[in-house]
Amino acid sequence: MDVLWLRLSRQPDDPHGLVGRIGRGRALICLEREDHWQIGYIIGKGTYHEVHAAGVETLRQAIAETAPDFADRVAELTDWKQVSMLSVEANRLPRWYRPGLLLLGDAAHVMSPAGGNGINYAIMDAVAAANILTAPLQAGLVTVADLACVQRRREWPTRVVQAMVNFMQDSLLKAALDPNGSFTFPSFLGWPLVRKVPPLLFGFGIRPEHVQTETRRGHTQAHVGRWAAALIVTLVVGWLIRRLLRRF
């Protein structure tokens, strides 16, 4: 998928927080800002030129039909200069380091915005790097092996969350963007476990990182145990979702 980002004004009686709309083969994500809405209009991968060729009026109409709440202000969109296209990718480098260089965050692994993980994983990469490299830096003896240790610690959580987001996109968003289909959310997405576990993992990460001090090091094993259990639960839920999706 790709995303067209644009702004529409906020009204006093608008809802608050994150607003999503899906229908007629279209999907919108609306993010509340102080004085406006940041609108993400999701389109099929590689279809930007077709959408652009159809014109701004067609885009305005599509937004109004998908989110009638915004129909009274789509006229604010008058030019393609107000629209930014984000090409959604989810990939990673095979190697994040070389002598004297360590890549973190988007430089090492591009995350899809579907799960909202980009900034979280960039920060956790930085925390892990600080924990691992502080002592070698203080000693003036940072080696390639130290840099490789950072990648080993952060690569598998990145792989897992990218796989989860790709599954979400392939199983749900592609179906939602099919103009010939009649998409409805599977009922199991309302199950308490399905609703609670993925947001926790997306919000806190598959492998949460904490700045290590001498007083915190003794608590690390307990954190690892809890999150290992959460990961197992998530994998089981993912397997169940895959089985259930085959029935819809």
Side-chain angles (χ1 to χ4, degrees):
M1 70 175 189
D2 292 328
V3 182
L4 301 182
W5 288 109
L6 55 106
R7 291 185 178 188
L8 293 177
S9 61
R10 274 188 54 78
Q11 302 296 333
D13 57 347
D14 282 347
H16 294 281
L18 175 67
V19 177
R21 296 286 186 270
I22 293 179
R24 301 187 181 185
R26 307 183 187 114
L28 282 178
I29 299 174
C30 310
L31 306 175
E32 179 188 6
R33 302 305 186 208
E34 184 175 352
D35 59 353
H36 67 274
W37 287 98
Q38 183 177 352
I39 308 293
Y41 180 69
I42 301 173
I43 61 176
K45 189 69 177 175
T47 63
Y48 172 72
H49 293 294
E50 298 174 19
V51 175
H52 188 281
V56 173
E57 174 57 34
T58 301
L59 178 59
R60 288 199 298 259
Q61 181 179 351
I63 294 173
E65 291 177 352
T66 309
D69 296 348
F70 297 106
D72 60 347
R73 66 201 81 168
V74 293
E76 298 169 3
L77 181 62
T78 60
D79 193 281
W80 282 104
K81 293 180 180 179
Q82 298 170 262
V83 181
S84 299
M85 199 278 284
L86 172 65
S87 179
V88 175
E89 303 287 346
N91 51 46
R92 58 192 174 274
L93 294 175
R95 182 171 176 174
W96 302 4
Y97 60 89
R98 60 187 301 177
L101 174 69
L102 176 63
L103 302 178
L104 303 173
D106 281 355
H109 48 76
V110 179
M111 310 294 278
S112 168
N117 296 289
I119 187 63
N120 283 357
Y121 274 67
I123 292 173
M124 285 188 276
D125 287 355
V127 172
N131 290 336
I132 293 170
L133 299 178
T134 293
L137 283 169
Q138 289 175 335
L141 297 172
V142 178
T143 66
V144 171
D146 295 321
L147 304 180
C149 184
V150 177
Q151 179 174 348
R152 283 197 302 272
R153 180 170 181 85
R154 294 303 309 159
E155 185 173 16
W156 75 262
T158 300
R159 286 177 176 269
V160 171
V161 78
Q162 285 181 336
M164 291 173 62
V165 172
N166 287 340
F167 172 75
M168 289 170 50
Q169 291 181 177
D170 292 341
S171 301
L172 298 176
L173 283 177
K174 282 186 178 179
L177 294 176
D178 183 1
N180 300 316
S182 56
F183 175 79
T184 56
F185 279 103
S187 59
F188 63 81
L189 292 178
W191 295 356
L193 185 62
V194 176
R195 292 179 61 184
K196 291 180 180 179
V197 174
L200 283 174
L201 291 175
F202 286 148
F204 294 99
I206 301 297
R207 187 178 198 173
E209 301 288 352
H210 304 277
V211 176
Q212 294 295 303
T213 63
E214 292 302 322
T215 57
R216 289 189 61 90
R217 293 184 192 278
H219 301 289
T220 301
Q221 294 299 324
H223 287 300
V224 171
R226 285 197 295 269
W227 283 96
L231 177 59
I232 292 172
V233 171
T234 302
L235 293 175
V236 172
V237 170
W239 177 81
L240 289 173
I241 290 174
R242 185 180 293 272
R243 292 293 299 273
L244 288 168
L245 281 172
R246 293 174 181 172
R247 301 181 182 180
F248 287 88

